[in-house]
Amino acid sequence: MNDTPPCTTVRPTRPRTPRPHRRRLWTALSVLVCAAVLLLTSSSAATADSASTGNDVQVAQTLGDRELTVVLRRITGVPGPLHVDVITHKGTAAGRIELRVTPTGVSTSASKGRESGTTVDSAVVKLDGTPGSYSARLNVDEVGPWELTLDDGAGHTAKIPFVVSKTTTSPAEKAVYAGFIGAGALMLVTVVVAVRVRRGWWTFVPSGGVLACLAVAVTGAVLSSGLPLPVSQGVQVDATIDGVGNPYTSVVQQAADYSRPPATLLLSSSTTRAGDTDTLTL
């Protein structure tokens, strides 16, 4: 009897090596994780200011024998409606008031300023003698300075200037948005490149672009708080169509005092002497 155990052959096993595309994918994912961490840590600082669209305009207006309060509601979009509330008080006579809106702005473009001085829309408000609010709706079709005219039909007119503005994006905020959008697009490109290409170093090209886009976005967010705001159109400077449409194009370092006289007097020779009474015409 043969008691010798059967001979078995043991084959050496080779260590498994990860596939090249898996290694590149893990490299790309590690870069994307680092970029995501950077994105989350900087999201709290990624804010920028935009020019506001303005507030309601409220004016106490005398029109003939009527004492009125005229409220121009804030316009949320252009072209869009302008809601006007004419508020009457006790003792206001009944009647009708015609409202007209006219653009008064100037522009370097002839096409933008072609309607300046021309009535764009009109509406009629009928007052029944009861104190209260009477509303009307008029349409405006462009940004810039405008004028609301009130006419009672008896030779009494009043004009109320106002500025139609829009929400504008600052250059710093545009850099923030562009950086984050570019980073998101390049993240997808990084994953595709990591799976498709054979050479792993190609993965670092789009992943480096991700980091560059994030750097641009974070830099724009940090610098946005220190950039000067544009001058207020219609308050600090005379409003124009170009200035209201894009106020950041005219950001210049000006004096802090924007005040200017409400009227300019042109004096000519006169025979009036000191102490005499005369008529002053503006």
Side-chain angles (χ1 to χ4, degrees), residues 31 35 179 182-187 190 203-216:
V31 174
L186 288 176
M187 283 183 181
T190 303
T203 308
F204 293 99
V205 176
S207 59
V210 173
L211 297 178
C213 290
L214 290 178
V216 171

Side-chain angles (χ1 to χ4, degrees), residues 19-178:
R19 296 182 181 180
H21 70 275
R22 290 184 178 180
R23 185 166 56 249
R24 293 192 298 269
L25 182 59
W26 281 111
T27 302
L29 291 178
S30 62
V31 174
L32 295 180
V33 169
C34 295
V37 172
L38 180 60
L39 177 62
L40 293 177
T41 55
S42 61
S43 60
S44 60
T47 57
D49 296 330
S50 300
S52 63
T53 56
N55 300 317
D56 296 348
V57 177
Q58 181 172 333
V59 178
Q61 182 66 54
T62 300
L63 188 64
D65 296 333
R66 296 184 176 94
E67 295 293 336
L68 308 172
T69 300
V70 183
V71 181
L72 284 70
R73 301 300 179 183
R74 181 173 63 93
I75 299 176
T76 57
V78 179
L82 169 65
H83 296 277
V84 180
D85 295 332
V86 179
I87 303 174
T88 60
H89 309 282
K90 185 177 181 180
T92 303
R96 61 191 302 274
I97 297 177
E98 182 182 4
L99 307 179
R100 300 188 296 269
V101 286
T102 305
T104 59
V106 296
S107 173
T108 56
S109 174
S111 59
K112 291 183 179 180
R114 67 183 184 277
E115 294 183 351
S116 181
T118 304
T119 300
V120 174
D121 196 8
S122 62
V124 175
V125 175
K126 296 181 179 180
L127 310 179
D128 57 8
T130 304
S133 178
Y134 301 86
S135 301
R137 172 177 171 174
L138 303 100
N139 295 319
V140 295
D141 55 1
E142 66 178 14
V143 298
W146 286 70
E147 203 170 60
L148 174 67
T149 302
L150 290 80
D151 188 353
D152 63 356
H156 304 110
T157 59
K159 295 183 178 181
I160 301 175
F162 64 98
V163 177
V164 177
S165 58
K166 66 177 182 179
T167 302
T168 55
T169 305
S170 66
E173 192 173 1
K174 291 180 180 179
V176 173
Y177 290 149

